Amino acid sequence: MNSTFWLTNVRLETDYHFENDTITKTNSACSHLFIKDGKIAEIVSADSLLLDDDYPKKDMKQLLALPSFIEKHCHLDKTLLSDKWRAVTPVNNIFERCEIEKEVLPTLHTTTQQRAEKLLSRYVQFGVTHVRTHVDLYPEVGLKNLEEVQKALQNFEGKLSYEIVAFPQHGLLRTKATNLIREALRFGAGFVGGVDPATVDGDIEASLQQMVELAVEGNAGIDLHLHDPDQLGTFTMKRLAQLTKEAGLQGKVAISHAFGLGDVSHSEAEEMADILRDAGITIVTSVPLRRKFPPVGLLHSKGVPVAIGCDNIFDVWSPFGNGDLLERAGRLAKCSGWGDERSLAQTLQFITGGKTPLNQEGEQTWPKVGDSANMVFVEASCSAEAIARRSLRKATIFNGNFVSSSI
């Protein structure tokens, strides 16, 4: 479609309906949106008569518009999508899993690029317009995974944006991956990865110091996989927070998983939230079903940025996962006991980079004139229903262009 056009009959959320001081539903109304140069240039009521301005008009059939989704944790190089079915081989520890992965991936009939593109296609259909992907780097593979993933991402230019984490899956220190990380940063990665400085690298201080040094040297961010539990996990987070502030990396550091935050007491979690907020560290969770995960509501209330990522999607680590972030957000709401209208609606922010159509007070905050035209259209009356019912995605728009549509 032409980059300048009207979206007609778009359902937008307008405010909450209160009954006895309780929100009972979300009100909505239909509007026409004028899209120009990748942005929302005008919003008018659907009752308004549009001038015959010769611009194309696309009838959105009263579908609900939501901010498009942001996938903050995926592994495009690991997925087995488009290859043959296989379940997971049981292992005793992470090191055995890594060895199996090293053996399996080179034997597949499909390429890393092909599998990555299959997952990216699925993401776009599900309403995702930005991904942060971790890419494995270890001596046996070098930069090959990075090169293959970059080819896949280049083929999706114009459909989504992306970030790449140079990820030493087998240990930064354990596999002496420092130079590989450094090289990956020169060739397009924007984040230094790491995994369990205590139990994988065997040296919390040296591992964290190396990550921070690489990030500063490469003008990059950090995204640390941290599975270590309880006080071991929180100790690692505290030290990373200190190093983050000393290096001036506030706002550029994330901790994925951060299981320790879900293991400690409420008061300890509150203390950690203050430390993380002060250091500008984001927590990314995949909302696992068989593991305690960070208390998202508490962290958010204390001002800690929180995001959701799908993580493993049919790979050597897990046979499950489908790339549906809306489904994962619904899981978070269910696990957290957020069943009321406002709580469900506000859950959306964890997959949109903080955007919701309505704020906590019920004021409309999205879309506004001037916003980027990054939207997903769903069969739902409101965002609360979309979260709770995992509503069907019918179209995705990125920078003012349809990148997926079944309308």
Side-chain angles (χ1 to χ4, degrees):
M1 176 173 279
N2 190 299
S3 60
T4 302
F5 59 96
W6 283 97
L7 294 172
T8 63
N9 301 312
V10 176
R11 182 177 298 279
L12 299 177
E13 296 178 0
T14 57
D15 65 296
Y16 291 127
H17 175 72
F18 287 86
E19 226 172 73
N20 299 322
D21 295 325
T22 300
I23 295 172
T24 60
K25 66 178 180 178
T26 303
N27 296 325
S28 64
C30 282
S31 298
H32 304 318
L33 277 58
F34 187 52
I35 309 300
K36 183 178 182 180
D37 298 328
K39 296 186 180 296
I40 300 170
E42 191 174 351
I43 303 173
V44 300
S45 169
D47 295 330
S48 302
L49 182 64
L50 294 181
L51 298 176
D52 188 9
D53 51 17
D54 294 329
Y55 289 118
K57 296 174 179 61
K58 175 67 172 178
D59 185 359
M60 299 310 292
K61 305 182 186 301
Q62 300 188 29
L63 291 167
L64 176 69
L66 298 176
S68 60
F69 306 149
I70 296 173
E71 164 62 277
K72 276 292 188 179
H73 185 145
C74 70
H75 295 266
L76 292 177
D77 61 323
K78 289 182 182 290
T79 185
L80 303 178
L81 288 174
S82 79
D83 209 274
K84 68 178 183 179
W85 158 254
R86 67 183 68 218
V88 164
T89 302
V91 298
N92 296 310
N93 53 55
I94 188 175
F95 305 113
E96 291 182 9
R97 179 67 64 206
C98 288
E99 290 305 310
I100 289 176
E101 186 171 49
K102 281 199 295 188
E103 294 171 8
V104 168
L105 293 184
T107 69
L108 299 178
H109 297 294
T110 51
T111 66
T112 300
Q113 179 183 346
Q114 287 171 329
R115 298 191 299 274
E117 289 185 12
K118 183 71 172 181
L119 179 51
L120 287 169
S121 178
R122 182 167 293 189
Y123 274 138
V124 170
Q125 291 171 2
F126 280 145
V128 172
T129 60
H130 182 86
V131 299
R132 176 182 292 184
T133 180
H134 301 260
V135 176
D136 283 8
L137 303 172
Y138 49 91
E140 293 89 341
V141 76
L143 297 183
K144 184 177 179 182
N145 287 336
L146 176 62
E147 294 165 358
E148 290 283 298
V149 166
Q150 285 177 321
K151 290 176 187 175
L153 289 166
Q154 287 164 9
N155 284 340
F156 275 75
E157 287 288 346
K159 294 185 178 181
L160 48 72
S161 53
Y162 58 86
E163 303 165 299
I164 298 175
V165 182
F167 183 50
Q169 172 70 82
H170 305 173
L172 177 60
L173 303 182
R174 184 171 173 267
T175 59
K176 299 179 176 60
T178 300
N179 286 334
L180 270 177
I181 299 294
R182 186 176 284 120
E183 196 172 355
L185 294 176
R186 288 199 296 266
F187 283 93
F191 289 81
V192 176
V195 58
D196 296 336
T199 54
V200 172
D201 272 341
D203 189 328
I204 294 174
E205 186 65 20
S207 182
L208 292 178
Q209 288 276 5
Q210 188 66 258
M211 280 180 240
V212 171
E213 288 171 13
L214 285 166
V216 171
E217 175 190 316
N219 190 28
I222 294 173
D223 196 325
L224 169 67
H225 279 49
L226 186 58
H227 311 89
D228 288 337
D230 302 301
Q231 276 74 25
L232 178 59
T234 55
F235 176 85
T236 304
M237 292 180 223
K238 288 177 183 177
R239 184 59 183 138
L240 179 56
Q242 291 174 333
L243 292 171
T244 295
K245 292 177 64 178
E246 290 171 9
L249 291 173
Q250 295 97 320
K252 298 178 69 175
V253 176
I255 301 174
S256 293
H257 302 305
F259 291 141
L261 292 172
D263 295 327
V264 298
S265 67
H266 183 86
S267 60
E268 288 176 290
E270 283 191 314
E271 176 192 353
M272 282 305 309
D274 291 335
I275 292 170
L276 294 167
R277 181 194 64 239
D278 183 53
I281 292 178
T282 297
I283 298 297
V284 183
T285 180
S286 61
V287 197
L289 292 174
R290 295 190 301 152
R291 183 71 170 82
K292 290 182 179 179
F293 59 88
V296 173
L298 184 153
L299 293 172
H300 176 67
S301 70
K302 299 281 278 185
V304 179
V306 181
I308 294 174
C310 290
D311 195 6
N312 302 100
I313 299 170
F314 178 38
D315 56 21
V316 174
W317 297 72
S318 171
F320 306 110
N322 58 11
D324 190 345
L325 269 179
L326 189 63
E327 181 180 282
R328 198 60 61 106
R331 181 196 294 183
L332 172 63
K334 186 175 182 178
C335 291
S336 303
W338 300 338
D340 63 279
E341 186 83 6
R342 176 159 50 191
S343 296
L344 284 167
Q346 293 301 303
T347 303
L348 187 69
Q349 66 190 298
F350 301 118
I351 59 172
T352 61
K355 295 177 182 176
T356 55
L358 303 175
N359 64 17
Q360 286 275 15
E361 289 70 41
E363 301 164 330
Q364 189 173 21
T365 54
W366 182 94
K368 298 289 188 183
V369 171
D371 285 347
S372 295
N374 297 331
M375 297 174 277
V376 55
F377 293 86
V378 303
E379 288 186 344
S381 62
C382 60
S383 53
E385 180 184 1
I387 291 288
R389 305 306 306 161
R390 283 73 156 173
S391 297
L392 183 67
R393 269 48 50 88
K394 299 291 287 184
T396 306
I397 292 180
F398 175 62
N399 287 343
N401 293 305
F402 279 86
V403 293
S404 176
S405 178
S406 60
I407 302 173

